[in-house]
Every structure is written in C-alpha cells, then in structure tokens.
Amino acid sequence: SAVISQKPSRDICQRGTSLTIQCQVDSQVTMMFWYRQQPGQSLTLIATANQGSEATYESGFVIDKFPISRPNLTFSTLTVSNMSPEDSSIYLCSVEVRDNYGYTFGSGTRLTVV
Amino acid sequence: GQQLNQSPQSMFIQEGEDVSMNCTSSSIFNTWLWYKQDPGEGPVLLIALYKAGELTSNGRLTAQFGITRKDSFLNISASIPSDVGIYFCAGRETSYDKVIFGPGTSLSVIP
C-alpha cells in the first residue's frame, strides 16, 4: 500500500490567518482526497483532489475556504483560509491505490485555531 | 443522503473477551470497509469486503458483508490492550461513489 506523509503534523494558528497542509505519496495515485475530522467526530470528505483540474468539493465546502492544488500524481495541498476556531480539526489526506480497494490515510494534521 | 449507523457507540470490556460491533446503512452498498484509528493517527484499514455474504478474517478480526448489503459486522476475538481505539465502518454504493464513514465505536479494554 501507499505511504503518505503529511506536513505539518500539528499547528496552532491565529484566527484570520491561513494554513497550507501538504500531502506527499510515495507512489503515483489516481485518486487523492481530503477529509476533516472534528473533535470526537467521524471523518467528513471535503473534496477530491483532481490532477490537472479543479478539485471536486462536497456539499458544505467551498473553494474559497479550502483551496486545493494537485500539481502531479504524488502531491497535493489543502489550504484552510481565513481560519476561525470552528476550523479546529484534524485534516487528513487519503489516497485510493487501486480501484475499490479502500482508502489509505496519512497521519493527519491537527489544527488548533485560537 | 447516505448515512451509516454504528453500534454500540462505546464499549468497555475485559481483556480476553470477544467484541462485536455492527454497522447499518440506509442504502445498499457494494463495498464495506472497517478501519481502526489510534489517538493522533489516521485511520488504518483493517478489512475490506466486496460481496454480499462475504466473511473475511485478519488475525483475530473477522468481518462480514451482510446479505441485505445494508449492514456489516466486525468481531474481535480474545481482546488485548492494543485493541483500544476507535473503529469506523465505511462504505460506498458503487465503485464510483465516495466512501462515507460511520460515527465510530470507541473500544476500551480493561487489563
């Protein structure tokens, strides 16, 4: 299975600022995803990161708030913009290595907004 | 929209006991996945199921894809302290759909 590296692993940020999270995979993958896990909650899909085109966002998530880049088949970034305390969550990068096999997750970025 | 329910929400068991948890969906799924998440880590895939009725084992873990395709269960035999964590079921309706996650079952093992 793929190995995913996420940076940073955690951060404490001031409200109103932005944070960019990086996701690096050790092999080329077709599908990359970004999830959010709010404290004590399950995982919610933010968007699918598409290589060479705009990300596909789920209901309730917009590009202005969560811009995503996917310049190649091994790398993606998620930016959390104009942060508020409600954005305090774990943000997880995920990939699907082969069709219908299930997702592999990075260890996540624990974000606290103060 | 699609929704998954997991039960129980939390469990406290003695070391050595067997554990059973289940997951139900409001719609028919073609894939069921079971994940475990340790504190400070991302979820790790335990078992993947692709056919109705399929029973799959991974060490002390056994999971089944329900015949109705609307449910799945996960059993853990002879629990040990490192089984502590949150177990998520996940699934999707077709190969082209996104994977959605259940709310999780928190497992605590008392030595």
Side-chain angles (χ1 to χ4, degrees):
Chain A
S1 62
V3 176
I4 301 173
S5 299
Q6 259 187 259
K7 292 181 181 180
S9 60
R10 59 178 63 233
D11 208 342
I12 301 174
C13 300
Q14 295 288 328
R15 67 178 67 199
T17 63
S18 298
L19 176 71
T20 295
I21 302 167
Q22 299 180 2
C23 177
Q24 179 73 54
V25 190
D26 69 343
S27 58
Q28 293 186 340
V29 293
T30 304
M31 306 295 286
M32 292 183 77
F33 308 90
W34 287 97
Y35 280 81
R36 181 176 73 182
Q37 187 175 27
Q38 293 176 302
Q41 302 296 313
S42 186
L43 288 78
T44 300
L45 181 63
I46 297 171
T48 301
N50 301 309
Q51 194 265 328
S53 64
E54 198 170 279
T56 304
Y57 289 84
E58 296 300 310
S59 175
F61 298 96
V62 295
I63 188 171
D64 290 346
K65 176 66 176 177
F66 298 102
I68 289 171
S69 78
R70 176 99 190 264
N72 56 52
L73 293 177
T74 64
F75 186 78
S76 177
T77 67
L78 168 75
T79 299
V80 186
S81 303
N82 188 24
M83 290 183 284
S84 67
E86 292 71 35
D87 294 320
S88 298
S89 292
I90 301 172
Y91 292 86
L92 295 146
C93 171
S94 175
V95 302
E96 185 167 25
V97 176
R98 63 176 190 267
D99 288 348
N100 211 31
Y101 184 70
Y103 294 179
T104 299
F105 284 85
S107 56
T109 297
R110 186 178 296 270
L111 171 63
T112 302
V113 183
V114 297
Chain B
Q2 300 172 348
Q3 191 169 357
L4 292 181
N5 296 303
Q6 270 186 264
S7 63
Q9 183 176 358
S10 62
M11 303 179 74
F12 293 83
I13 62 170
Q14 292 283 343
E15 182 177 357
E17 288 184 353
D18 296 343
V19 173
S20 184
M21 59 189 79
N22 77 310
C23 188
T24 59
S25 71
S26 56
S27 54
I28 292 173
F29 279 15
N30 82 340
T31 302
W32 283 99
L33 308 166
W34 284 93
Y35 286 86
K36 181 191 179 210
Q37 186 175 28
D38 293 326
E41 299 292 328
V44 174
L45 182 64
L46 301 173
I47 293 178
L49 303 161
Y50 304 108
K51 294 181 181 178
E54 180 180 356
L55 186 72
T56 298
S57 294
N58 178 6
R60 293 178 296 106
L61 278 62
T62 302
Q64 185 160 27
F65 193 139
I67 290 293
T68 66
R69 298 173 62 192
K70 289 187 174 182
D71 63 336
S72 177
F73 72 74
L74 175 71
N75 286 344
I76 305 173
S77 63
S79 59
I80 59 178
S82 61
D83 290 333
V84 167
I86 301 177
Y87 290 80
F88 291 102
C89 66
R92 57 185 169 194
E93 291 184 5
T94 74
S95 299
Y96 303 103
D97 283 330
K98 64 186 180 187
V99 170
I100 63 170
F101 283 78
T105 293
S106 175
L107 177 64
S108 299
V109 179
I110 303 168

